[in-house]
Amino acid sequence: MAKSNMDRDILSVFYSEEQIHARIQELGDQIYDKFHDKNPLFVGVLKGCFLFMADIIRACQIKCEIEFIAVSSYGSAFQSSGNVQITRDLGQDITGRDLIVVEDILDSGNTLYFLRGYFLAKGAKSVTIVTLFDKPERREKPIKADYIGFDVPNEFIVGYGLDYRQQYRNLPYVGVLKPEIYTEE
Ligand code: PRP
């Protein structure tokens, strides 16, 4: 196991590395069954998606392409502003493509609500959403994911792509951050 100076900031492990990988393989199998003859375009939503994207496309051995988009709606705030802006756009034409949008977490829904409309306006044939984590109780926009790894309660979780002030993304598991970490500043 790698040495870590982040573990001490974690109150409890929510989902272990093993649990996450097992669930991703289940999602990969389901996506394979539905999309193996469609040459889908996987679109990861940066930055939080980066680990999940790497794992889901390997759990899903489909001939496909990958693309990334980056958006901003939170800034450094806890609460989504609802004002979603593209900070790094797609690098290719998506007209007529079956998109599989890959997110680490679906929270207020502002990001994916905006992106789904954006992709359809750009001519995507279909938009399928896969998120590793879903916080349904926080939803502000009418949007649901097609594939969900885990429902999570409204706790401050970090790891496996999820950050607190850009840190903890490289934890291999997802854990609850100790309150003193985000209340001491
Ligand atoms: C997070 C996450 C989603 C979004 C979900 O991104 O990766 O993109 O928030 O929240 P919402 O459903 O309330 O819109 P964030 O803006 O924190 O950027 P990051 O991916 O760089 O961490």
Side-chain angles (χ1 to χ4, degrees), residues 45 70-74 80-87 108-115 141:
V45 185
V71 296
S72 161
S73 69
Y74 280 79
S80 168
S81 67
N83 176 21
V84 182
Q85 295 186 332
I86 295 172
T87 55
S108 71
N110 284 320
T111 302
L112 283 172
Y113 184 80
F114 169 84
L115 283 176
K141 289 282 183 359

Side-chain angles (χ1 to χ4, degrees), residues 46-48 74 80 103-105 107-111 163 169:
L46 294 170
K47 301 177 198 163
Y74 280 79
S80 168
E103 262 287 24
D104 53 335
I105 191 161
D107 192 332
S108 71
N110 284 320
T111 302
D163 73 305
R169 293 191 199 271

Side-chain angles (χ1 to χ4, degrees), residues 132-149:
L132 187 54
F133 300 106
D134 189 8
K135 278 186 178 173
E137 68 189 83
R138 294 251 303 173
R139 200 76 84 249
E140 295 171 12
K141 289 282 183 359
I143 187 141
K144 282 185 179 169
D146 300 278
Y147 299 93
I148 298 166

Side-chain angles (χ1 to χ4, degrees), residues 75-184:
S76 60
F78 287 142
Q79 198 71 29
S80 168
S81 67
N83 176 21
V84 182
Q85 295 186 332
I86 295 172
T87 55
R88 186 244 185 231
D89 208 345
L90 297 168
Q92 69 185 88
D93 183 12
I94 59 169
T95 307
R97 299 300 304 270
D98 291 303
L99 266 51
I100 300 176
V101 182
V102 178
E103 262 287 24
D104 53 335
I105 191 161
L106 176 51
D107 192 332
S108 71
N110 284 320
T111 302
L112 283 172
Y113 184 80
F114 169 84
L115 283 176
R116 185 181 58 183
Y118 180 73
F119 294 144
L120 290 172
K122 287 259 177 192
K125 181 177 165 194
S126 67
V127 176
T128 297
I129 293 170
V130 51
T131 187
L132 187 54
F133 300 106
D134 189 8
K135 278 186 178 173
E137 68 189 83
R138 294 251 303 173
R139 200 76 84 249
E140 295 171 12
K141 289 282 183 359
I143 187 141
K144 282 185 179 169
D146 300 278
Y147 299 93
I148 298 166
F150 305 97
D151 275 353
V152 287
N154 191 16
E155 302 246 28
F156 203 116
I157 55 173
V158 293
Y160 197 78
L162 297 166
D163 73 305
Y164 168 62
R165 297 202 166 170
Q166 301 301 327
Q167 296 181 324
Y168 304 101
R169 293 191 199 271
N170 54 328
L171 283 172
Y173 58 85
V174 165
V176 180
L177 198 58
K178 286 182 179 169
E180 58 262 38
I181 302 297
Y182 52 87
T183 53
E184 71 190 8

Side-chain angles (χ1 to χ4, degrees), residues 1-11 171-173 178:
M1 189 127 81
K3 292 189 276 187
S4 173
N5 65 0
M6 295 180 284
D7 287 345
R8 63 187 178 215
D9 296 346
I10 303 301
L11 190 62
L171 283 172
Y173 58 85
K178 286 182 179 169

